[in-house]
Coordinates of all heavy atoms in Angstrom, one line a residue:
A1 N 0.8 -1.2 0.0 CA 0.0 0.0 0.0 C 0.9 1.3 0.0 O 0.6 2.2 -0.7 CB -0.9 0.0 1.2
A2 N 2.0 1.2 0.8 CA 2.9 2.4 0.8 C 3.6 2.5 -0.6 O 3.8 3.7 -1.1 CB 3.9 2.2 1.9
L3 N 3.9 1.4 -1.2 CA 4.5 1.5 -2.6 C 3.6 2.1 -3.6 O 4.0 3.0 -4.3 CB 4.9 0.1 -3.0 CG 5.5 0.0 -4.4 CD1 6.8 0.8 -4.5 CD2 5.8 -1.5 -4.7
V4 N 2.3 1.6 -3.6 CA 1.4 2.2 -4.6 C 1.1 3.7 -4.3 O 0.8 4.5 -5.2 CB 0.1 1.3 -4.9 CG1 0.5 0.0 -5.4 CG2 -0.7 1.2 -3.6
A5 N 1.1 4.0 -3.0 CA 0.8 5.4 -2.6 C 2.0 6.3 -3.1 O 1.8 7.4 -3.5 CB 0.6 5.5 -1.1
E6 N 3.2 5.8 -3.1 CA 4.3 6.5 -3.5 C 4.2 6.9 -5.0 O 4.7 7.9 -5.4 CB 5.6 5.7 -3.3 CG 6.9 6.4 -3.7 CD 7.2 7.7 -3.0 OE1 6.9 7.7 -1.7 OE2 7.7 8.6 -3.6
Y7 N 3.5 6.1 -5.8 CA 3.3 6.4 -7.2 C 2.0 7.0 -7.5 O 1.5 7.1 -8.6 CB 3.5 5.1 -8.0 CG 5.0 4.7 -8.1 CD1 5.5 3.7 -7.3 CD2 5.8 5.4 -9.0 CE1 6.9 3.4 -7.4 CE2 7.1 5.1 -9.1 CZ 7.7 4.1 -8.3 OH 9.0 3.8 -8.4
G8 N 1.3 7.5 -6.5 CA 0.1 8.3 -6.7 C -1.2 7.7 -6.5 O -2.2 8.4 -6.6
L9 N -1.3 6.4 -6.2 CA -2.6 5.7 -6.0 C -2.8 5.6 -4.5 O -2.2 4.9 -3.8 CB -2.6 4.3 -6.6 CG -3.8 3.5 -6.5 CD1 -5.0 4.2 -7.2 CD2 -3.6 2.1 -7.0
A10 N -3.8 6.4 -4.1 CA -4.1 6.5 -2.7 C -5.0 5.3 -2.3 O -6.0 5.1 -2.9 CB -4.8 7.8 -2.3
V11 N -4.5 4.4 -1.4 CA -5.2 3.3 -0.9 C -5.7 3.6 0.5 O -4.9 3.9 1.4 CB -4.3 2.0 -0.8 CG1 -5.1 0.8 -0.3 CG2 -3.7 1.7 -2.2
P12 N -7.1 3.7 0.6 CA -7.6 4.1 2.0 C -7.2 3.1 3.0 O -7.0 1.9 2.8 CB -9.1 4.0 1.7 CG -9.3 4.1 0.3 CD -8.1 3.5 -0.4
D13 N -7.1 3.5 4.2 CA -6.7 2.7 5.4 C -7.7 1.5 5.5 O -7.3 0.4 5.9 CB -6.6 3.5 6.7 CG -5.5 4.4 6.7 OD1 -4.5 4.2 5.9 OD2 -5.5 5.4 7.5
G14 N -9.0 1.8 5.3 CA -10.0 0.7 5.4 C -9.7 -0.4 4.4 O -10.0 -1.6 4.8
V15 N -9.3 -0.1 3.2 CA -9.0 -1.1 2.2 C -7.8 -2.0 2.7 O -7.9 -3.2 2.6 CB -8.8 -0.5 0.8 CG1 -8.4 -1.5 -0.2 CG2 -10.1 0.1 0.3
T16 N -6.8 -1.3 3.1 CA -5.6 -2.0 3.6 C -5.9 -2.9 4.7 O -5.5 -4.0 4.8 CB -4.5 -1.0 4.0 OG1 -4.2 -0.1 2.8 CG2 -3.2 -1.7 4.4
G17 N -6.7 -2.4 5.7 CA -7.2 -3.2 6.8 C -8.0 -4.3 6.4 O -7.9 -5.4 7.0
A18 N -8.9 -4.1 5.5 CA -9.8 -5.2 5.0 C -9.0 -6.3 4.4 O -9.2 -7.5 4.6 CB -10.9 -4.7 4.1
I19 N -8.0 -6.0 3.5 CA -7.2 -7.0 2.9 C -6.3 -7.7 3.9 O -6.2 -8.9 3.9 CB -6.3 -6.3 1.8 CG1 -7.2 -5.8 0.7 CG2 -5.3 -7.3 1.2 CD1 -6.4 -4.9 -0.4
S20 N -5.8 -7.0 4.9 CA -5.0 -7.6 5.9 C -5.8 -8.6 6.7 O -5.4 -9.7 7.1 CB -4.4 -6.6 6.8 OG -3.4 -5.8 6.2
A21 N -7.0 -8.2 7.1 CA -7.9 -9.1 7.8 C -8.3 -10.3 7.0 O -8.4 -11.4 7.6 CB -9.2 -8.3 8.2
S22 N -8.5 -10.2 5.7 CA -8.7 -11.3 4.9 C -7.6 -12.3 4.8 O -7.8 -13.5 4.9 CB -9.1 -10.9 3.4 OG -10.2 -10.0 3.4
V23 N -6.4 -11.8 4.8 CA -5.2 -12.6 4.8 C -5.1 -13.4 6.1 O -4.8 -14.6 6.1 CB -3.9 -11.8 4.5 CG1 -2.6 -12.6 4.8 CG2 -3.9 -11.3 3.1
L24 N -5.3 -12.7 7.2 CA -5.3 -13.3 8.5 C -6.4 -14.4 8.6 O -6.1 -15.5 9.2 CB -5.4 -12.3 9.6 CG -4.2 -11.4 9.8 CD1 -4.6 -10.3 10.9 CD2 -3.0 -12.2 10.2
A25 N -7.5 -14.1 8.1 CA -8.6 -15.1 8.1 C -8.3 -16.3 7.3 O -8.5 -17.5 7.7 CB -9.9 -14.5 7.6
L26 N -7.7 -16.1 6.1 CA -7.2 -17.3 5.3 C -6.2 -18.1 6.0 O -6.2 -19.3 6.0 CB -6.7 -16.8 4.0 CG -7.8 -16.4 3.0 CD1 -7.1 -15.8 1.7 CD2 -8.6 -17.6 2.6
F27 N -5.2 -17.4 6.7 CA -4.2 -18.2 7.4 C -4.9 -19.0 8.6 O -4.5 -20.1 8.9 CB -3.1 -17.2 8.0 CG -2.0 -17.1 7.1 CD1 -1.8 -16.0 6.3 CD2 -1.0 -18.1 7.1 CE1 -0.7 -15.9 5.4 CE2 0.1 -18.0 6.3 CZ 0.3 -16.9 5.4
A28 N -5.8 -18.4 9.2 CA -6.5 -19.0 10.3 C -7.2 -20.3 9.8 O -7.2 -21.3 10.5 CB -7.5 -18.1 11.0
L29 N -7.9 -20.2 8.7 CA -8.7 -21.3 8.2 C -7.8 -22.4 7.5 O -8.0 -23.5 7.7 CB -9.7 -20.8 7.1 CG -10.8 -19.9 7.7 CD1 -11.7 -19.4 6.6 CD2 -11.7 -20.8 8.6
L30 N -6.8 -21.9 6.7 CA -6.0 -22.9 6.0 C -4.7 -23.3 6.6 O -4.2 -24.4 6.3 CB -5.8 -22.3 4.6 CG -7.0 -21.9 3.8 CD1 -6.7 -21.3 2.5 CD2 -7.9 -23.1 3.5
G31 N -4.1 -22.4 7.3 CA -2.8 -22.6 7.8 C -2.7 -23.1 9.3 O -2.1 -24.1 9.6
V32 N -3.3 -22.3 10.1 CA -3.2 -22.6 11.6 C -4.2 -23.6 12.1 O -3.9 -24.5 12.8 CB -3.3 -21.3 12.4 CG1 -3.3 -21.5 13.8 CG2 -2.3 -20.3 11.9
R33 N -5.5 -23.5 11.7 CA -6.5 -24.3 12.3 C -6.3 -25.8 12.1 O -6.5 -26.6 13.0 CB -7.9 -23.9 11.7 CG -9.0 -24.7 12.2 CD -9.2 -24.4 13.7 NE -10.3 -25.2 14.2 CZ -10.2 -26.0 15.2 NH1 -9.1 -26.1 15.9 NH2 -11.2 -26.8 15.6
P34 N -5.9 -26.3 10.9 CA -5.6 -27.7 10.8 C -4.5 -28.3 11.7 O -4.4 -29.5 11.9 CB -5.3 -27.9 9.3 CG -5.9 -26.8 8.6 CD -5.8 -25.6 9.6
Q35 N -3.6 -27.4 12.2 CA -2.5 -27.9 12.9 C -2.7 -27.7 14.5 O -1.8 -28.0 15.2 CB -1.3 -27.1 12.5 CG -0.9 -27.2 11.0 CD 0.2 -26.3 10.6 OE1 0.9 -25.8 11.4 NE2 0.3 -26.1 9.3
V36 N -3.8 -27.2 14.9 CA -4.0 -26.9 16.3 C -5.1 -27.7 16.9 O -6.2 -27.7 16.3 CB -4.2 -25.4 16.5 CG1 -4.5 -25.0 18.0 CG2 -3.1 -24.6 16.0
D37 N -4.9 -28.3 18.0 CA -6.0 -29.0 18.7 C -6.6 -28.1 19.8 O -5.8 -27.4 20.5 CB -5.5 -30.3 19.4 CG -5.1 -31.4 18.4 OD1 -5.7 -31.4 17.3 OD2 -4.3 -32.2 18.8
P38 N -7.9 -28.0 19.9 CA -8.5 -27.2 20.9 C -8.2 -27.7 22.3 O -8.0 -28.9 22.5 CB -10.0 -27.2 20.6 CG -10.2 -28.5 19.8 CD -8.9 -28.7 19.1

């Protein structure tokens, strides 16, 4: 997001946060959850 902002494309904080949350959710579902026992 900082890189594209440097070249003039303003990425709102909400969009960056939403994408980050999506990545964390995918890791939770696909990466962490199958390896952890409750």
